[in-house]
Amino acid sequence: MDNVKFDQSVDEEKSSTFNIEAEQALLGLLLVNNEVLGEIETVIGEDHFYDGLNRKIFSHIASRTKKGLVVSPITLKPYLDSDEDFKNIDVPSLLTELSAMAISAYAAKDYANALFDLAVRRKLVDIGNEIIVDARKITEDNGPTQLIIKAEQSLYDVASTGTQSKTFEPLVKAATEAIELANRAFESDIQGVSGIPSGFIDIDKKLGGLQNSDLIILAGRPSMGKTALATNIAYNASIANYKKYGTASSVGFFSLEMSSAQLATRILSDVSKIPSEQIRRGELSENEFNQFVDAARSLDQSKFFIDDTPALLISSIASKARRLKRTHGLDFLIIDYLQLIRASSNKENRVNEIAEITQGLKAIAKELNIPVLALSQLSRQVENREDKRPQLADLRESGSIEQDADVVLFIFREEYYKEREKPGDQDLDALIKWQEQMEQIHGKAELIIGKQRHGPVGTVDLAFDGRFTRFGNLAKSHQVKA
């Protein structure tokens, strides 16, 4: 382009991360065929153009095309003539030469993808340079941990916004995926289960297993057994299912509250059938110790991964989950618990932070195509009711939890509350009645399905053994209350 002078300054570090000719060729095509914009606008925008003038031209073309106006060198010329950035540019020659460089419409998507990739590379170069500059500034509030968090956030932003957008797909393609889902359920060793088996017969009957891309919330008041149930499900998915059905899932467990050793103790208590308090106090016979060691050895081949880093950012969770999926595979992710996650950006209030966190968890589930189980606290208003069974309105701090979740489960143990209502020994009749009530509810728990986007709600009865912090199927587990 002899008559047109573009910005000739070149950043040496980015010299291989842009292609001016490709930008011009794509702009030329848009000038002679406006309909191509609809095919590439899901891939690139003006920010993906390296050259400032090319960026401006694309912006003008896109703006007018979206308004239903015809864009050509003739109709675009007045707008560029009135733009200060084009004051010293021969606009007619520029537009004519761009049109002459137009590529075939069939190549538009390939050129757009190439420009997209180059733009991401430039962003990565910028992040790398920023990391170097920040690392060389040694201040009190600029420690290595803060630098790593900032770098992870920057990379997360690129990963979440720097992916080529999905667009419409034919219904027949989605229908094919639905048929494959139904076929998995039909051919499954467990009747009616198309997702990852939870290990609990009645839960799987209601949910069809843990479904890919679902955000599942498991909520309850303290001491109800949220972590115990989540740990049981994780163990079943990664280990027990292999023994029963020959298929095992790779499980990632973010334990923001308990240490990995504490979590492992719970699992080993369950497997070895040794109460966890005995393990913590070291009150083990020689046989029990050998039993405990054998239980630990049985976990050798499991794909169960624990990260007990406290106060993680939602962006860090996403980054670590992607890394685990890439290196070891990831079929199922658990977070204990939601309120201990930190938002990636400062929000005006906690409600907005929780909204960002739940949206981030749902995004992880969809991006990695895995079920995500997040534990959640409930508000104290449950304690003020006579019937202390949780409801959706009890979800703490944000309605976004209910809104973003595909499934909301509540764990409830009436025995926990009834134990605290024990009458005095002097009231014999009341004590006898209390004992009868305790016998009826001892070792039982309810899993209340408060929301299920693609299925029924209801209640599932479970067994609970506090000695081993273990949930199980009741003897009459097929009798599920609707």
Side-chain angles (χ1 to χ4, degrees):
M1 288 190 173
D2 298 332
N3 299 321
V4 181
K5 300 298 183 183
F6 284 85
D7 183 5
Q8 299 300 315
S9 60
V10 174
D11 186 341
E12 290 298 329
E13 289 186 341
K14 298 181 181 178
S15 58
S16 61
T17 62
F18 60 85
N19 187 333
I20 301 295
E21 291 75 16
E23 294 180 4
Q24 293 168 347
L26 189 58
L27 290 174
L29 174 59
L30 291 173
L31 284 172
V32 299
N33 186 348
N34 299 164
E35 293 181 1
V36 170
L37 180 67
E39 298 180 21
I40 66 170
E41 65 179 348
T42 59
V43 179
I44 61 170
E46 61 182 277
D47 291 339
H48 294 96
F49 287 80
Y50 176 79
D51 183 86
L53 295 181
N54 288 341
R55 195 180 307 129
K56 273 289 186 72
I57 294 171
F58 180 85
S59 177
H60 281 295
I61 294 174
S63 176
R64 287 178 58 78
T65 302
K66 289 175 182 178
K67 292 176 182 177
L69 302 173
V70 175
V71 181
S72 68
I74 295 174
T75 60
L76 190 59
K77 177 182 177 298
Y79 293 91
L80 299 188
D81 281 338
S82 61
D83 192 317
E84 283 294 317
D85 290 337
F86 291 83
K87 185 169 59 174
N88 299 319
I89 298 292
D90 184 350
V91 172
S93 296
L94 167 62
L95 296 175
T96 300
E97 294 185 36
L98 284 177
S99 300
M101 295 180 68
I103 53 173
S104 167
Y106 293 107
K109 204 70 175 286
D110 291 336
Y111 272 63
N113 287 331
L115 295 181
F116 170 88
D117 291 343
L118 291 172
V120 173
R121 289 176 183 275
R122 291 195 298 274
K123 186 62 180 174
L124 293 173
V125 170
D126 290 337
I127 292 172
N129 289 334
E130 187 176 354
I131 291 172
I132 293 171
V133 171
D134 289 345
R136 287 173 174 167
K137 294 179 182 176
I138 302 176
T139 61
E140 290 292 333
D141 56 350
N142 197 31
T145 301
Q146 286 77 15
L147 293 176
I148 291 170
I149 291 173
K150 182 180 178 182
E152 284 184 341
Q153 175 61 42
S154 298
L155 291 171
Y156 174 75
D157 290 341
V158 172
S160 57
T161 61
T163 52
Q164 298 169 18
S165 304
K166 292 187 71 176
T167 184
F168 288 106
E169 62 181 29
L171 176 59
V172 66
K173 181 180 178 182
T176 302
E177 293 175 358
I179 292 171
E180 290 174 356
L181 184 69
N183 188 55
R184 282 202 302 271
F186 179 76
E187 294 182 345
S188 172
D189 292 328
I190 315 170
Q191 185 64 36
V193 176
S194 58
I196 297 173
S198 69
F200 297 93
I201 297 171
D202 292 337
I203 295 177
D204 288 335
K205 274 192 168 185
K206 286 279 191 179
L207 303 182
L210 306 167
Q211 302 293 329
N212 287 341
S213 81
D214 272 5
L215 172 58
I216 306 162
I217 299 295
L218 174 59
R221 289 292 295 155
S223 301
M224 286 294 107
K226 297 187 295 296
T227 301
L229 181 57
T231 305
N232 293 162
I233 293 174
Y235 175 81
N236 290 337
S238 65
I239 300 167
N241 286 348
Y242 181 76
K243 296 177 180 177
K244 289 182 181 179
Y245 314 114
T247 58
S249 301
S250 178
V251 177
F253 199 119
F254 285 102
S255 180
L256 281 74
E257 184 176 34
M258 298 171 60
S259 70
S260 57
Q262 291 172 327
L263 201 61
T265 300
R266 285 198 173 197
I267 295 172
L268 291 174
S269 171
D270 182 9
V271 177
S272 65
K273 304 298 185 290
I274 301 173
S276 54
E277 64 268 16
Q278 275 187 237
I279 296 173
R280 284 195 300 269
R281 292 197 298 262
E283 297 176 353
L284 302 175
S285 65
E286 185 175 346
N287 284 339
E288 286 175 331
F289 183 78
N290 291 334
Q291 204 172 316
F292 185 71
V293 172
D294 289 340
R297 286 174 178 164
S298 72
L299 306 180
D300 274 352
Q301 302 303 315
S302 69
K303 298 178 74 175
F304 192 137
F305 304 93
I306 302 171
D307 186 316
D308 61 0
T309 308
L312 276 172
L313 290 166
I314 181 62
S315 57
S316 298
I317 289 176
S319 176
K320 291 186 176 191
R322 290 191 199 98
R323 192 180 308 134
L324 180 59
K325 176 113 178 172
R326 188 172 61 251
T327 55
H328 298 286
L330 180 60
D331 302 308
F332 179 31
L333 186 65
I334 300 174
I335 296 98
D336 182 15
Y337 58 91
L338 191 150
Q339 281 79 11
L340 291 179
I341 302 173
R342 290 191 296 144
S344 297
S345 55
N346 294 325
K347 301 293 182 182
E348 294 177 0
N349 53 57
R350 184 59 176 164
V351 171
N352 291 339
E353 288 183 351
I354 292 294
E356 179 188 329
I357 290 165
T358 56
Q359 289 165 13
L361 293 175
K362 177 60 180 175
I364 293 170
K366 290 191 70 176
E367 178 190 337
L368 302 183
N369 195 33
I370 59 172
V372 173
L373 175 64
L375 279 57
S376 175
Q377 290 182 334
L378 291 176
S379 66
R380 290 190 179 90
Q381 65 187 18
V382 175
E383 310 294 336
N384 299 327
R385 295 197 302 263
E386 185 175 345
D387 184 357
K388 293 178 171 52
R389 285 174 176 80
Q391 304 167 4
L392 288 172
D394 298 324
L395 286 170
R396 187 172 177 179
E397 292 177 313
S398 178
S400 69
I401 299 177
E402 176 187 350
Q403 175 182 312
D404 295 326
D406 296 282
V407 178
V408 178
L409 307 173
F410 299 107
I411 188 68
F412 173 73
R413 292 192 300 111
E414 188 177 0
E415 181 182 11
Y416 172 82
Y417 292 104
K418 187 60 70 175
E419 279 178 339
R420 285 147 182 79
E421 297 174 3
K422 182 179 180 180
D425 293 340
Q426 66 278 7
D427 192 344
L428 191 57
D429 290 340
L431 184 60
I432 292 173
K433 184 179 179 181
W434 175 84
Q435 288 173 337
E436 290 173 349
Q437 292 174 334
M438 283 294 293
E439 287 177 4
Q440 292 176 355
I441 61 176
H442 176 67
K444 294 181 180 179
E446 296 177 26
L447 187 70
I448 302 166
I449 305 174
K451 174 187 175 181
Q452 185 179 186
R453 203 183 297 276
H454 308 295
V457 296
T459 301
V460 171
D461 292 323
L462 299 173
F464 178 71
D465 190 336
R467 294 174 304 162
F468 311 121
T469 58
R470 179 181 67 205
F471 287 86
N473 297 299
L474 281 177
K476 296 181 180 180
S477 58
H478 295 287
Q479 303 300 318
V480 181
K481 295 184 287 184

